[in-house]
Amino acid sequence: MQTSRPVFLEPWRIKLPLPGVVSILHRVSGILLVLSIPFSAYLFHQALSGPEGFAATAALLGSWPVELALLLLLWSLLHHLLAGIRHLALDMGFGLDRPIARKTARITLIAVPVLLILTLALGGLTA
Amino acid sequence: MSRQASGLMAWLIQRATAVYLAFFLVYVLIHFTLNAPADHAALSAWATRPWVALGLMLFVPVLLAHAWVGIRDVLIDYVHALGARIGLMLLFGFVFIASGLWALKAIITAGLGG
């Protein structure tokens, strides 16, 4: 029996299939959303605390570095949501065949930026 | 690791919480996209509507359970030094609980008219 398995871990030479891309981005977006939790809780509390707190929160959310972070978080939320729905469907046995799995992965990767632009067009990043 | 948050149970918690989070976050996202509160009075009026307040108070523990299972999986996969892994788990755990309590305090104080 072979005790040392062959290892091929050169990230730049591994071609990740589309479902793999959706999966790793699901994880990356999840980590970004987790990191936003304390800031979101703090700002939610501040905005609800009174008119001054609301104004301070609105001013902070309107500054461009924070808007950039919000854009990243909005992308994270949309990707995590759509990829999550896809993974739930896979768990229940839908879309497991490889051609369909590739197609739903492609749909996810296209739908996320489309929804992102739609959200920005309808509401903008901040109030 | 506690039996409640390991293996099959964690897998189930992750999926069950995901369903609630998906529905609630889509509602919040649509509300804030089309009808973002312009001032404190509007935000407070929204957050103190009974169904919204209940939805928000349920959202806090459900989100934290989901986030906990997720970040725990990530730490188990990538942080192999046991001390660092446990340290980070404790850090995330405390930050999650503090964030959750702070958010609940905001919802409850707004409901009491403060």
Side-chain angles (χ1 to χ4, degrees):
Chain A
M1 193 179 130
Q2 195 177 13
T3 48
S4 61
R5 293 179 298 156
V7 174
F8 184 74
L9 277 179
E10 284 188 66
W12 308 118
R13 289 179 59 194
I14 294 175
K15 194 175 175 304
L16 200 58
L18 280 187
V21 174
V22 170
S23 179
I24 193 67
L25 289 180
H26 186 250
R27 183 158 268 208
V28 170
S29 58
I31 295 170
L32 290 174
L33 290 168
V34 158
L35 295 178
S36 81
I37 287 176
F39 304 101
S40 307
Y42 175 80
L43 291 176
F44 177 67
H45 185 280
Q46 190 184 53
L48 261 183
S49 66
E52 300 84 14
F54 186 93
T57 311
L60 180 73
L61 294 184
S63 67
W64 73 264
V66 180
E67 288 215 314
L68 208 63
L70 281 178
L71 186 65
L72 193 61
L73 285 174
L74 184 59
W75 169 81
S76 300
L77 183 62
L78 290 171
H79 183 87
H80 207 78
L81 181 68
L82 293 195
I85 291 169
R86 179 175 175 274
H87 288 159
L88 278 179
L90 292 174
D91 281 345
M92 291 188 292
F94 300 113
L96 281 172
D97 293 335
R98 199 174 291 170
I100 300 171
R102 283 196 182 129
K103 185 178 261 183
T104 55
R106 187 183 299 275
I107 290 171
T108 305
L109 289 172
I110 293 169
V112 169
V114 168
L115 282 177
L116 186 67
I117 291 166
L118 187 70
T119 311
L120 292 177
L122 286 175
L125 264 180
T126 45
Chain B
M1 203 48 54
S2 71
R3 280 180 58 226
Q4 284 72 27
S6 67
L8 185 62
M9 199 56 189
W11 184 90
L12 196 62
I13 288 172
Q14 194 72 325
R15 271 103 191 131
T17 52
V19 174
Y20 178 75
L21 293 173
F23 281 107
F24 190 72
L25 281 170
V26 166
Y27 158 68
V28 171
L29 198 60
I30 290 175
H31 178 78
F32 275 78
T33 301
L34 300 179
N35 195 16
D39 52 22
H40 173 256
L43 177 66
S44 188
W46 174 74
T48 53
R49 266 150 57 179
W51 283 110
V52 176
L54 183 64
L56 284 168
M57 286 194 290
L58 187 57
F59 173 75
V60 171
V62 170
L63 172 73
L64 292 181
H66 188 87
W68 174 251
V69 177
I71 203 69
R72 177 177 158 272
D73 283 347
V74 168
L75 291 174
I76 289 171
D77 281 353
Y78 303 127
V79 184
H80 297 295
L82 200 59
R85 184 193 290 175
I86 291 172
L88 282 168
M89 278 182 174
L90 286 172
L91 177 67
F92 278 109
F94 278 115
V95 169
F96 282 4
I97 291 171
S99 306
L101 290 173
W102 201 239
L104 286 175
K105 174 184 171 289
I107 301 162
I108 293 166
T109 337
L112 295 172

